[in-house]
Amino acid sequence: MKKKPVSRKPSPRRKALWAGGYDAAPGKALAKISLSHPFDRRLAAQDLAGSLAHARGLHRAGLLSKSDLEAIAAGLAKIAAEIADGRFVFEDADEDIHMNVERRLAALAGEAGARLHAGRSRNDQVALDLRLWTVAAIDAAQEGLRALGLALLSRAEAWCKEPVVIPARTHLRAGQPVLLSHALLAYVEMLRRDRDRLADCRRRTAVSPLGSGACAGTTLPLDRRAVAESLGMPEITENSLDAVSDRDFAAEFAFAAALTMVHLSRLAEDLILWTGEEFRTLRLSESTTTGSSMMPQKKNPDALELVRGKSGRASGALISLLTTMKGLPLSYNRDLQETQEPLFSAADTLMDSLAAMTEVVRGLSARKASERLPIESGALSTDLAEELVRRGVPFREAHGRVARWTRRAAKDGADFRAIAATEDPGLARFLRRLTPESSVRARDLPGGTAPARVRGEIRRLRKLFQA
């Protein structure tokens, strides 16, 4: 069993690596709020990768011998193994993952380890690590979105072959008949936009700030582009002041995560409604529900409710990031340490929620037609109004005429089609053929709910999500 990374307090004489010009250690209160390794240790893999790339850059510049490079590489590999199996000891005096790694490297690689920080500041080091971490988070989120999109498409395809017709709702009131598959594709479209946003965010995130130093760059002849390419980053930052203080990429990712969570929350709400006894359209699998401690009959949609609730957490992370960034002067300020936990929280919340929603969707089943609520005839009112338009009646007149018939039908508890046929016998033939299924088939325009259109959209979206 792997051990958890441990922390220990150093002896009072232990000084931080930045404290060369200090005679005393930071006060207890400052030391407490400065401490970040409990949360930024999750940047370890990125910190080690960035350090190795920087070491190779120093070697190419003739500032690091081959033997020193080999010692650094071996030391970084050992540190990676120690962190992976929980043997790495984090020192509070070293505050963060970056200084903890550097001190351990100096112990393992000796003088070679002490040479690594040449031409680099924690400012550009942290910015690089966060960018690398965010790129990885984007890639993971893309996979999560892909899985959920394909799960929705699978359900949509099944319920298009054996059509399930439901009332589309506006203001949560029945409006017009649509295929349930068409409603699911609305959410796939949201996920498609979410994927596009993340792809765009990734382009602006995969930019290397390394070589920007503390704020003004470095006098050492480092090949910034070569280092960036070795890290899989196609571009480098163009302004050293901006490079060390920019967290736009973090806010942009948090926005993309928050908006995706809003979409997941909307899907959760619809699934709660569609699977409830009031709407009786779908069933949830037992593995995605929980029982009541008091009411034996209950199967509660906890997974959906928790995802709906977690959307607030994602929105909060975005607000926290934007508030921290607001009003900061150039260039680096320690406030930026406070952007990390909201960034991590946004990513964690998004990934957990995507996995939960995918599990829910894969477990969905449609109720039998006999169990589903019938669609009230009033939902066909627009079809009749548009038939009158085809017969030359101005739409506003047709609207008023059909409104009177539907109002009378509601008052009498009658089928509005029967009322309309009585009022206008010339419509009787059309009304005999007018059903929720015929209404759906008639909406055969691009973006419409006709089965042929929905099948085409499923094919189009499947290609996008399988790519």
Side-chain angles (χ1 to χ4, degrees):
M1 185 176 180
K2 291 183 179 180
K3 297 179 180 178
K4 292 183 179 180
V6 295
S7 305
R8 69 175 177 223
K9 295 181 180 179
S11 67
R13 290 173 294 179
R14 180 75 172 270
K15 294 177 68 175
L17 293 175
W18 51 260
Y22 281 74
D23 293 326
K28 289 182 179 180
L30 173 57
K32 182 177 181 180
I33 65 172
S34 292
L35 192 65
S36 64
H37 72 71
F39 58 84
D40 69 21
R41 64 182 61 177
R42 67 192 299 170
L43 298 173
Q46 290 74 29
D47 195 72
L48 295 169
S51 292
L52 182 58
H54 182 61
R56 288 170 175 163
L58 290 172
H59 175 63
R60 280 193 298 270
L63 300 169
L64 198 65
S65 69
K66 183 178 180 181
S67 61
D68 281 348
L69 175 60
E70 290 172 348
I72 289 171
L76 292 173
K78 184 172 178 58
I79 292 170
E82 290 176 349
I83 291 174
D85 64 18
R87 290 182 294 113
F88 190 88
V89 177
F90 286 88
E91 297 279 4
D92 287 359
D94 292 322
E95 300 174 346
D96 56 33
I97 180 65
H98 322 288
M99 292 293 96
N100 270 279
V101 166
E102 185 174 342
R103 188 180 298 276
R104 178 63 176 146
L105 181 63
L108 292 170
E111 185 177 298
R115 295 181 183 277
L116 178 61
H117 209 58
R120 184 174 73 166
S121 165
R122 267 196 298 181
N123 295 356
D124 60 348
Q125 183 180 1
V126 172
L128 173 69
D129 291 359
L130 282 174
R131 284 178 176 273
L132 289 172
W133 189 91
T134 305
V135 166
I138 290 170
D139 292 345
Q142 289 283 31
E143 279 303 303
L145 284 164
R146 179 176 179 272
L148 178 55
L150 291 174
L152 286 166
L153 287 167
S154 176
R155 297 293 84 204
E157 188 169 36
W159 297 329
C160 194
K161 288 178 180 177
E162 298 181 9
V164 177
V165 180
I166 63 171
R169 296 176 185 272
T170 62
H171 310 281
L172 207 56
R173 301 292 189 269
Q176 296 172 297
V178 297
L179 290 178
L180 174 59
S181 300
H182 190 58
L184 293 182
L185 293 189
Y187 284 105
V188 180
E189 285 291 338
M190 295 181 206
L191 300 185
R192 179 188 60 78
R193 295 194 296 271
D194 293 330
R195 294 185 81 203
D196 288 348
R197 255 185 297 276
L198 283 171
D200 205 35
C201 176
R202 191 186 195 283
R203 178 176 61 81
R204 282 185 287 275
T205 302
V207 180
S208 174
L210 205 58
S212 299
C215 61
T218 177
T219 62
L220 300 178
L222 300 177
D223 188 340
R224 293 188 63 209
R225 293 192 183 278
V227 172
E229 289 171 6
S230 72
L231 290 167
M233 305 181 96
E235 300 179 39
I236 61 171
T237 54
E238 301 294 346
N239 184 289
S240 60
L241 292 169
D242 177 56
V244 299
S245 59
D246 173 27
R247 295 296 184 271
D248 289 4
F249 64 91
E252 190 172 352
F253 172 79
F255 169 73
L259 188 52
T260 300
M261 286 298 302
V262 167
H263 294 155
L264 298 188
S265 181
R266 293 183 66 189
L267 175 58
E269 175 68 10
D270 266 332
L271 291 180
I272 289 169
L273 293 173
W274 293 341
T275 57
E277 292 305 311
E278 296 78 11
F279 285 12
R280 300 205 307 266
T281 304
L282 300 173
R283 292 188 190 279
L284 292 167
S285 66
E286 286 194 350
S287 63
T288 59
T289 64
T290 67
S292 165
S293 63
M294 185 176 186
M295 297 172 285
Q297 84 282 10
K298 293 297 293 297
K299 290 185 178 178
N300 300 318
D302 282 29
L304 295 170
E305 292 172 348
L306 286 167
V307 168
R308 189 176 58 184
K310 287 180 182 294
S311 63
R313 182 180 302 211
S315 297
L318 172 61
I319 295 302
S320 177
L321 273 161
L322 293 174
T323 304
T324 298
M325 294 161 59
K326 179 190 68 66
L328 293 182
L330 289 174
S331 56
Y332 180 82
N333 295 273
R334 191 66 181 274
D335 312 48
L336 292 174
Q337 178 175 300
E338 294 302 307
T339 64
Q340 295 185 26
E341 288 182 283
L343 173 63
F344 299 152
S345 176
D348 291 345
T349 300
L350 177 60
M351 291 307 301
D352 289 346
S353 299
L354 284 169
M357 289 302 295
T358 302
E359 189 172 73
V360 167
V361 171
R362 286 172 177 167
L364 287 172
S365 58
R367 290 177 183 253
K368 296 177 182 178
S370 60
E371 297 176 332
R372 298 197 294 268
L373 288 176
I375 295 177
E376 297 291 335
S377 64
L380 303 170
S381 299
T382 306
D383 296 73
L384 181 54
E386 290 181 346
E387 174 62 17
L388 290 172
V389 168
R390 279 191 290 270
R391 298 183 183 201
V393 179
F395 178 76
R396 281 301 162 203
E397 182 181 336
H399 184 282
R401 192 182 303 180
V402 174
R404 289 193 296 273
W405 297 339
T406 55
R407 183 177 181 181
R408 180 179 162 189
K411 182 179 179 181
D412 296 347
D415 188 312
F416 120 90
R417 288 167 293 191
I419 300 294
T422 300
E423 293 291 325
D424 189 341
L427 294 169
R429 185 178 177 186
F430 172 79
L431 289 166
R432 282 195 297 272
R433 299 194 306 267
L434 181 58
T435 65
E437 290 73 23
S438 71
S439 174
V440 165
R441 288 194 299 271
R443 285 171 166 74
D444 192 16
L445 291 175
T449 188
R453 297 291 181 176
V454 172
R455 287 193 292 270
E457 282 302 290
I458 290 172
R459 290 192 295 270
R460 179 183 70 86
L461 289 165
R462 191 177 289 283
K463 286 181 182 178
L464 290 175
F465 276 79
Q466 286 177 335

